[in-house]
C-alpha cells in the first residue's frame, strides 16, 4: 500500500515537474475568422501532436489556469508535410470592446504566459490601425513592428509578402523568425496583442501568381481567415475591409470579382470602406503599369472601387512609398479613392520613377508603415519610418 502511494506521489511530482518545464506553444498569435466584436481566434503552434489544445480565458488576469472562468477547446491540425501542428481556438460570445486575458496550450507542451487582447467595439468609437506589407525578417522589419506597436493600433492589415517562404516547407524558419518577431514586438505599450488581418502575396505562393490555395500552404494553414483567400472584415460599425487576392491563389476576375461586387453593394452604407491587397492598381515602381496583375486589378476591381466609392486601397508589392492623388474612373477626381503603398515594411526600398506619374501625389524610396486613424467618417493617414518619423499625411 505504502509502496503504491509513493509510486503515485512520484508520478504526480514527475507530472508537475514536466508541466513546469514544458516550454509552451511555439507561437501564439491572433486573427479573426468572423465577427471582430464578439470573437477572437487564438492560434498556437506545437512541434509535436497534441490531443487537447485549449485556451483558458476571462476578463481578469489570473495566476492559475483553473481560475479562468472560461475555456475553449481547439482542433489539432497538422501542417501538411511538416512536423508542425497549428491549433485554432475560436473564442465566441465575447463582449464587444472588452479586454480578455488568456493562456493557450495543451497538457503535454504546457501553456503560454498570460496574454491579453481587446475585442472591437460594437458602437462607434475612434479606431487606429496600421497597414503595410513586404516585410521579411530584416532588422528594419522589426524596427517598424516596434514603431507600429508603440502607436497602440487595435489591429494590423498585412498586405502580403510576410515571411518570403514562397510556400516552401524548407523555409519554415522564415516564418518562425517572422512570428517570433510579431510575438515579441507587436505588443502595445499597454500590453495588448495586435490581431492580424492578412492578404496573400506572391511570396506566400509557390510560383507567385496564377496558383491555387494549395500553393500557399502557410497563408491558408497558419491563418485560416477564410477558405477562399478573399473576404471582408467588419471592424466596428464604421469600418469594413475587403481583403483581396491579386491573382496569387485566385483569379482577380470571375468568382472573386462577382463576390466583391455583391459585397460592396451589400455594405455600401458603412462609412469607411477600405481594400487590402498585394499588387497595386497604381504602382509607383517604373515600367509596370501595364503588367497583367496591375491591369487586372484596374479592370476587375477598379470600377467597383469607383462605383462604391472606396476610401482607400492599401497596396503593396513594390517596396516603395506611394500616395496617389484621389482617383476615379482612371482620372484624378477630388472625390475619388486614394491608393497608399507600395509595401516597404522591412524589405530594402527600391527606386521610384524619376518623376511623378499623372496619378501620383508623393513617392519615395523609403521604408514605412501606414498609421490610420478613423473618427466617424473622417480618416487620417500617416506614413511612419523605422525611426518613428512621420513623413507624409493625408485625410479624406
Ligand atoms: Fe510581392
Amino acid at each position: 500500500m505504502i509502496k503504491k502511494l509513493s509510486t503515485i506521489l512520484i508520478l504526480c511530482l514527475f507530472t508537475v515537474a514536466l508541466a513546469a518545464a514544458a516550454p509552451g506553444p511555439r507561437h501564439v498569435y491572433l486573427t479573426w475568422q468572423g465577427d471582430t466584436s464578439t470573437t477572437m481566434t487564438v492560434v498556437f503552434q506545437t512541434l509535436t501532436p497534441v490531443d487537447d489544445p485549449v485556451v483558458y480565458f476571462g476578463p481578469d488576469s489570473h495566476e492559475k489556469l483553473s481560475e479562468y472562468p472560461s475555456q475553449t477547446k481547439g482542433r489539432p491540425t497538422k501542417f501538411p508535410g511538416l512536423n508542425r501542428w497549428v491549433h485554432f481556438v475560436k473564442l465566441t460570445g465575447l463582449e464587444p470592446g472588452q479586454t480578455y486575458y488568456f493562456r493557450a496550450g495543451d497538457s503535454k507542451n504546457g501553456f503560454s504566459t498570460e496574454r491579453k487582447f481587446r475585442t472591437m467595439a460594437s458602437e462607434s468609437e475612434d479606431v487606429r490601425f496600421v497597414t503595410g506589407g513586404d516585410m521579411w525578417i530584416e532588422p528594419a522589419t522589426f524596427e517598424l513592428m516596434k514603431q507600429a506597436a508603440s502607436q497602440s493600433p487595435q489591429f494590423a492589415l498585412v498586405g502580403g509578402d510576410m515571411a518570403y517562404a514562397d510556400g516552401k516547407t524548407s523555409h519554415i524558419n522564415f516564418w518562425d523568425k517572422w512570428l517570433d518577431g510579431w510575438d515579441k514586438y507587436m505588443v502595445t505599450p499597454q500590453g495588448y496583442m495586435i490581431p492580424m488581418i492578412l492578404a496573400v502575396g506572391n511570396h506566400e505562393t509557390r510560383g507567385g501568381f496564377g496558383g491555387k490555395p494549395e500553393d500557399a500552404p502557410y497563408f491558408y494553414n497558419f491563418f485560416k481567415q477564410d477558405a477562399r483567400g478573399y473576404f471582408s472584415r467588419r471592424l466596428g460599425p464604421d469600418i469594413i475591409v475587403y481583403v483581396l487576392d491579386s491573382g496569387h491563389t485566385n483569379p482577380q476576375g470571375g468568382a472573386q470579382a462577382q463576390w466583391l461586387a455583391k459585397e460592396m453593394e451589400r455594405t455600401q452604407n458603412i462609412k469607411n470602406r477600405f481594400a487590402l491587397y498585394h499588387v497595386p492598381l497604381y504602382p509607383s515602381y517604373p515600367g509596370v503599369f501595364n503588367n497583367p496583375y496591375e491591369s487586372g486589378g484596374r479592370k476587375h476591381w477598379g470600377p467597383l472601387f469607383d462605383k462604391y466609392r472606396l476610401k482607400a486601397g492599401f497596396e503593396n508589392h513594390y517596396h516603395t512609398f506611394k500616395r496617389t492623388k484621389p482617383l476615379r474612373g482612371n482620372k484624378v477626381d477630388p472625390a475619388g479613392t486614394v491608393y497608399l503603398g507600395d509595401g516597404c515594411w522591412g524589405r530594402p526600398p527600391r527606386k521610384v520613377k524619376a518623376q511623378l506619374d499623372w496619378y501620383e501625389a508623393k513617392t519615395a524610396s523609403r521604408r514605412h508603415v501606414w498609421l490610420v486613424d478613423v473618427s466617424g467618417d473622417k480618416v487620417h493617414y500617416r506614413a511612419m519610418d523605422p525611426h518613428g518619423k512621420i513623413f507624409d499625411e493625408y485625410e479624406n
Side-chain angles (χ1 to χ4, degrees), residues 134 160-161 164 201-203 209 248 278-279 316-319:
D134 300 82
D161 287 6
Y164 284 74
N202 52 304
H203 285 291
F209 290 91
H248 312 290
H278 191 60
V279 177
N316 296 279
H317 188 48
Y318 281 116
H319 314 175

Side-chain angles (χ1 to χ4, degrees), residues 172-202:
I172 189 168
N173 56 320
F174 294 180
W175 273 107
D176 282 334
K177 285 180 183 158
W178 191 90
L179 286 167
D180 283 343
W182 193 278
D183 195 21
K184 187 169 176 187
Y185 301 119
M186 285 300 270
V187 179
T188 72
Q190 301 77 27
Y192 288 97
M193 292 175 78
I194 302 169
M196 306 177 217
I197 296 172
L198 311 99
V200 66
N202 52 304

Side-chain angles (χ1 to χ4, degrees), residues 373-388:
D373 286 288
V374 178
S375 184
D377 62 357
K378 278 276 160 241
V379 187
H380 188 199
Y381 312 86
R382 289 177 293 161
M384 189 171 66
D385 79 2
H387 307 289

